[in-house]
Amino acid sequence: GAGVSQSPSNKVTEKGKDVELRCDPISGHTALYWYRQRLGQGLEFLIYFQGNSAPDKSGLPSDRFSAERTGESVSTLTIQRTQQEDSAVYLCASSLQGTGRGETQYFGPGTRLLVL
Amino acid sequence: AQSVSQHNHHVILSEAASLELGCNYSYGGTVNLFWYVQYPGQHLQLLLKYFSGDPLVKGIKGFEAEFIKSKFSFNLRKPSVQWSDTAEYFCAVSSNTGKLIFGQGTTLQVKP
């Protein structure tokens, strides 16, 4: 079946520009997560959507980062006024309910962002 | 705050050698523990997980991990590695909120 998809797969932008990254979760999954992996580091949690609950934004590194999700479908992560330290692979994951209890998260292929 | 520490950043083994990758976490409450793997050119995928019951869990491709609560550890093991196990391995922990906290990852290189 279809997995989590992300677009674009690669994005090169200039410092100061805004970028939008897209994630399509697995159909029927109510929970959606964004993570970031900078070179040589582990994955950092950014934001988490679960059903109609208010998103958990506790991992967003600055107010330049925001994310939206329409219902239980597509999510977009927006980075405004990009900086070089934003260069990373941005990973999206989805899970069936998002209630923890060992629920598996399914990851997309990621968007590799390079800020020049 | 939760944190995860993976002791080995880069491991090189010959085929048929035994593998143990260390993972320790910091969190006092109920935890769910995961090992994810990323093979070259592929998505991150679940290898195995623990959330309750038998602390020795078995995953895909002959991997297993043991949850030792007193040591806050969840080490990954495989008795005999293959060249195809070359990948990056991530340990992660979550409470019951769902979000995962990852370790820095261990790159495993298996020489044929």
Side-chain angles (χ1 to χ4, degrees):
Chain A
V4 177
S5 61
Q6 293 186 246
S7 61
S9 53
N10 291 281
K11 176 73 177 178
V12 180
T13 191
E14 293 178 349
K15 179 181 170 180
K17 301 277 190 185
D18 297 351
V19 295
E20 238 182 43
L21 311 180
R22 177 187 168 108
C23 172
D24 279 273
I26 293 172
S27 177
H29 280 193
T30 62
L32 186 147
Y33 312 79
W34 283 98
Y35 297 89
R36 173 173 76 173
Q37 185 177 22
R38 288 189 280 192
L39 192 63
Q41 299 185 25
L43 284 79
E44 303 169 68
F45 165 76
L46 297 177
I47 187 169
Y48 156 47
F49 297 89
Q50 198 262 321
N52 295 320
S53 302
D56 177 348
K57 303 180 182 180
S58 60
L60 294 179
S62 78
D63 59 8
R64 296 186 295 104
F65 288 72
S66 62
E68 290 184 349
R69 187 181 187 195
T70 307
E72 294 183 356
S73 61
V74 171
S75 175
T76 55
L77 176 69
T78 301
I79 309 173
Q80 295 179 311
R81 305 181 302 282
T82 52
Q83 303 294 312
Q84 289 180 330
E85 62 262 27
D86 299 333
S87 296
V89 178
Y90 289 82
L91 289 162
C92 176
S94 71
S95 68
L96 193 58
Q97 294 179 321
T99 54
R101 295 302 295 150
E103 196 173 74
T104 299
Q105 293 182 25
Y106 296 86
F107 283 81
T111 293
R112 189 174 300 273
L113 175 66
L114 177 61
V115 182
L116 301 176
Chain B
Q2 294 173 311
S3 66
V4 177
S5 175
Q6 291 183 239
H7 317 300
N8 320 97
H9 298 298
H10 198 121
V11 173
I12 302 173
L13 295 173
S14 298
E15 275 195 315
S18 64
L19 170 72
E20 180 159 4
L21 301 183
C23 174
N24 285 90
Y25 65 92
S26 170
Y27 184 67
T30 301
V31 290
N32 307 288
L33 295 156
F34 305 81
W35 277 96
Y36 277 84
V37 61
Q38 188 165 28
Y39 297 104
Q42 296 188 25
H43 303 187
L44 202 63
Q45 60 184 281
L46 182 70
L47 200 54
L48 48 77
K49 64 183 179 183
Y50 169 82
F51 62 97
S52 68
D54 189 342
L56 182 64
V57 291
K58 296 189 184 297
I60 59 172
K61 304 188 180 184
F63 286 90
E64 66 178 31
E66 186 174 13
F67 169 50
I68 303 179
K69 189 174 181 179
S70 61
K71 295 185 177 180
F72 297 90
S73 70
F74 190 56
N75 292 354
L76 181 71
R77 299 193 293 250
K78 184 171 184 178
S80 176
V81 295
Q82 300 174 310
W83 176 78
S84 58
D85 293 324
T86 294
E88 192 158 16
Y89 293 80
F90 294 93
C91 182
V93 64
S94 73
S95 61
N96 287 336
T97 63
K99 70 184 185 189
L100 291 171
I101 306 300
F102 284 87
Q104 286 196 311
T106 297
T107 301
L108 172 65
Q109 183 182 355
V110 179
K111 294 185 173 180

